[in-house]
Amino acid sequence: MSDKKKKSNANIDTVDSSSSYEVASQYKLMWWKFKKHKAAMIAVPVLIIMYLICMCCEFFAPALPLERYKDYKDTAPTRIHLWDDDGNFVGPFVYGLERYTDPYTFRKSYVESDQIIKLGFFVRGSEYGVFGSNLKWDVHFFGVKLPEGEEPGGHNVFFLMGTDSLGRDVFSRILSGGRISLSFCLVSVAFTVIIGLTLGGLSGYLGGVVDTIVQRAIDLIMSIPGIPMWMALAAALPSTMSNLKKYFLMSLIMSLIGWTGLARVTRGKLLSLREEDFVIAARMCGSSHMRVIFKHMLPSFLSYIIVSVTGSIPGTILGETTLSFLGLGLQAPTVSWGTLLQDCQTVDSMAATPWLMFPALFIIVSVLCFCFMGDGLRDAADPYK
Amino acid sequence: MLLNYILKRLLQLIPLLIAVSILIFIIIQLPPGDYLTTYIIQLETSGLEVNQSEIINLTKQYGLDKPMYQQYLYWMKNIITKLDFGRSFQWNQTVLSLLQQRLPATISISLLSLVVTWAIAIPVGIVSATHQYSGFDYFFQFFGFIGMSCPAFLLALASVFILFKLTGQSLTGLNSAAFVNAPMSWAKFVDMLPRLLLVIFIIAISQTAGMIRSMRAMLLDELQKQYVITARAKGVKEKKLLWKYPIRMAINPQVSTIGWVLPGLIGGEMIVSTVLSLPTMGPLVKRALTNQDMYLAGSYLLIVSVLTVIGTLISDILLAIVDPRIKFGGVSE
């Protein structure tokens, strides 16, 4: 309340920018501080775009994740051209692909033919249900412009990042995998917040026996190496379990091990706040425990919780992709960035089809963005520093 | 005084270790069915006759007909008194013999990675802090972000792939095909060295990144403090000033977090060695987990957890030696 008053005062007085710093609200200060972190200011829009694209992956992908182009297995990424061989501007197009067998090694590959296939935005493609509903739509954000009456899946093809050994479009699968991998870390973090806040809060606010028990539990979990523990718990999930169930249980497993950090932060902050004058004053005025916690204490350590939570997201993404890669996490036909990378486990397969490593790029970019965002938030959390 | 502190910490460890072992026992009991049913199914699918008396023997030996808590006590009793970790049904060997074959390599790789992590992170952190915003600093910040954002299995895959492209050699496994079954010799060691170094560096990189960051941040904090300015004003040589106080202060948190770095290294070792199919515990445990060969998996979990706990204890003791301000009996914030 007082913040708002101060702000309106500042407006009335029309003070210059240097002194408005002194009267700006806490959130305004945080925003200013966050804005100074350039990497974070780039990371946040990138993340938002990634989430939006992966959320509507059927629309943004030119093909469906499980759709097979039987005649185009292990195709290298198609090159996009703007000018034809004679130097005339055609607009974005790709050349058709012809199968070519090396006369010496008998290795099959594809070479460009003379056929020009035009690309375009908002093109007709394979039919999909909008957000998994029964509402069918066949418009894709970009892809080949199919001639009137031709069905998708023919020889007018375009693979931005190549195809895998079953002839599925890698780029479309990456977007679809991103939906799983990127949402997975949020679900897991939600579980972490629930467990960590509850246990850390109880431990810090109540103290005594509860505190001791929670602290010992944290010691216990932190003394067991996380990755082997994840693997053991993930392996205990029965293989017959439905994919959706597995998805939620896997994220729960991640948070069962990951909640300790958040609980420590919460407990530490609560312990120090418990003795603050304003909390004691609130208690003296007859506020209930709940009111003291949520009205008076929570706002003053919310920022630290957000920092701690964003800090745990990169680890979750890395954990999920690692487990899925090793075949212990989400399993095919569920598409996640980790399961996609299973296709390049050996040096031979990497040498023959290096484009199957594209999912790695997406993992690195998303983790990096979360790291930068976490850094920016950490700076912003304490704007008075 | 120090001895008292160590004894006290050792006593505190006992309940923790008991709790760890109970938790691990519960985890390895989670999959439906017990070891024997898995074993019998395996025998049957491979077409072998199931020997009834052997099964009765095994049931007795591991107390599988007893209630859960007694099974746990059996498990612990066998481990403590006879070093009997149970049987791996998949390999048809005792877990102990498997551990003897592979655990030394796992532990040495993890410890060497710890050494490499420190050997890189501390000096780089110091130089990055003293030469803040220099080219060196930016390079290692970039390197740090890559190390943090690239999962270990990907680093392993990528480096093997790149080395394959450059040298035409596939550096998976600890030895090239010619040496795999050869007895230990100088030639074998020379053959092993580049592969070993690669593995150690891959494992170390992800941990190094975080450590460089924290070392740099701590030292930067220290360097801004009044006592540094005072000492500089009084004419203390820059090098002496740096080594005498700020670096010692900045290293403390690194020492105290060995207990957190160690689990990361062990996990990293497990993943990297699985990807590169090294003859260590990693691939073994992964297979044990997928095939529910739970005595093997459980023993591995138990051993690495105990090692982590001991590592934490050592780091606490080291901290008490390095930093005299640590109040014995309780760690002051």
Side-chain angles (χ1 to χ4, degrees), chain B residues 16-193:
Chain B
L16 181 63
L17 285 178
I18 293 173
V20 166
S21 65
I22 292 176
L23 187 63
I24 288 169
F25 185 77
I26 293 172
I27 291 172
I28 62 176
Q29 292 286 356
L30 276 180
D34 58 21
Y35 320 109
L36 264 191
T37 45
T38 329
Y39 181 48
I40 292 169
I41 291 168
Q42 248 176 34
L43 281 184
E44 276 168 355
T45 46
S46 59
L48 289 171
E49 184 124 340
V50 183
N51 188 340
Q52 216 56 46
S53 68
E54 191 195 3
I55 286 175
I56 294 171
N57 254 337
L58 283 170
T59 313
K60 272 227 175 95
Q61 193 182 345
Y62 296 111
L64 292 176
D65 49 349
K66 301 269 168 37
M68 243 359 140
Y69 73 96
Q70 282 191 7
Q71 282 190 37
Y72 165 75
L73 291 177
Y74 261 91
W75 190 55
M76 284 320 291
K77 196 186 101 197
N78 281 340
I79 290 176
I80 294 168
T81 55
K82 292 185 286 191
L83 266 183
D84 177 6
F85 287 91
R87 257 189 110 67
S88 160
F89 295 118
Q90 194 190 345
W91 295 79
N92 207 12
Q93 282 182 32
T94 57
V95 170
L96 184 66
S97 68
L98 284 169
L99 289 176
Q100 278 168 344
Q101 289 162 27
R102 292 183 170 229
L103 198 62
T106 300
I107 294 177
S108 22
I109 288 179
S110 303
L111 287 182
L112 281 173
S113 315
L114 182 66
V115 174
V116 170
T117 307
W118 271 61
I120 299 176
I122 303 287
V124 168
I126 292 172
V127 179
S128 290
T130 50
H131 298 76
Q132 202 187 358
Y133 304 131
S134 64
F136 182 90
D137 185 25
Y138 280 122
F139 172 77
F140 274 98
Q141 279 201 28
F142 174 75
F143 163 84
F145 276 120
I146 294 297
M148 269 201 310
S149 59
C150 197
F153 76 89
L154 211 60
L155 276 178
L157 281 179
S159 48
V160 166
F161 177 59
I162 292 168
L163 286 173
F164 175 76
K165 280 276 174 188
L166 290 179
T167 64
Q169 266 187 320
S170 157
L171 288 183
T172 51
L174 262 191
N175 285 109
S176 53
F179 285 102
V180 168
N181 290 317
M184 197 64 201
S185 64
W186 178 249
K188 182 172 177 173
F189 181 72
V190 171
D191 175 63
M192 194 169 84
L193 208 57

Side-chain angles (χ1 to χ4, degrees), chain B residues 220-257:
Chain B
L220 280 176
D221 268 4
E222 272 321 301
L223 286 175
Q224 283 165 5
K225 286 195 176 157
Q226 295 279 334
Y227 74 89
V228 177
I229 300 169
T230 313
R232 194 171 284 145
K234 292 202 165 204
V236 180
K237 290 246 166 52
E238 199 59 28
K239 202 171 244 173
K240 190 178 174 193
L241 167 68
L242 196 64
W243 282 102
K244 187 92 183 161
Y245 306 106
I247 287 181
R248 281 177 61 183
M249 292 292 294
I251 279 183
N252 279 347
Q254 313 305 328
V255 178
S256 63
T257 50

Side-chain angles (χ1 to χ4, degrees), chain A residues 139-156:
Chain A
V139 174
H140 292 256
F141 181 61
F142 73 104
V144 292
K145 278 185 191 154
L146 290 175
E148 268 313 308
E150 197 190 303
E151 285 300 303
H155 289 278
N156 290 326

Side-chain angles (χ1 to χ4, degrees), chain A residues 220 222-225 227-229 231-233 235-236 264 318 321-322 325-326 328 341 344-345 347 350-351 360 364 367-368 372 375, chain B residues 16 19-20 23 27 30 145 148-149 151 153-154 157 160-161 164 170 213 260 263 270-271 275 286 289-290 292 301 304-305 308-309:
Chain A
L220 174 64
M222 290 191 78
S223 65
I224 302 178
I227 289 166
M229 177 100 152
M231 289 171 74
L233 284 171
R264 279 169 156 242
L318 294 183
T321 45
T322 304
F325 172 78
L326 292 177
L328 286 167
L341 282 171
C344 42
Q345 269 177 334
V347 173
M350 277 188 286
I364 294 176
V367 172
L368 212 51
F372 286 144
D375 264 18
Chain B
L16 181 63
V20 166
L23 187 63
I27 291 172
L30 276 180
F145 276 120
M148 269 201 310
S149 59
F153 76 89
L154 211 60
L157 281 179
V160 166
F161 177 59
F164 175 76
S170 157
R213 275 164 65 90
W260 299 351
M270 187 170 178
I271 287 162
V275 173
K286 196 221 139 188
L289 284 172
T290 40
Q292 310 211 325
L301 269 180
V304 291
S305 307
T308 316
V309 172

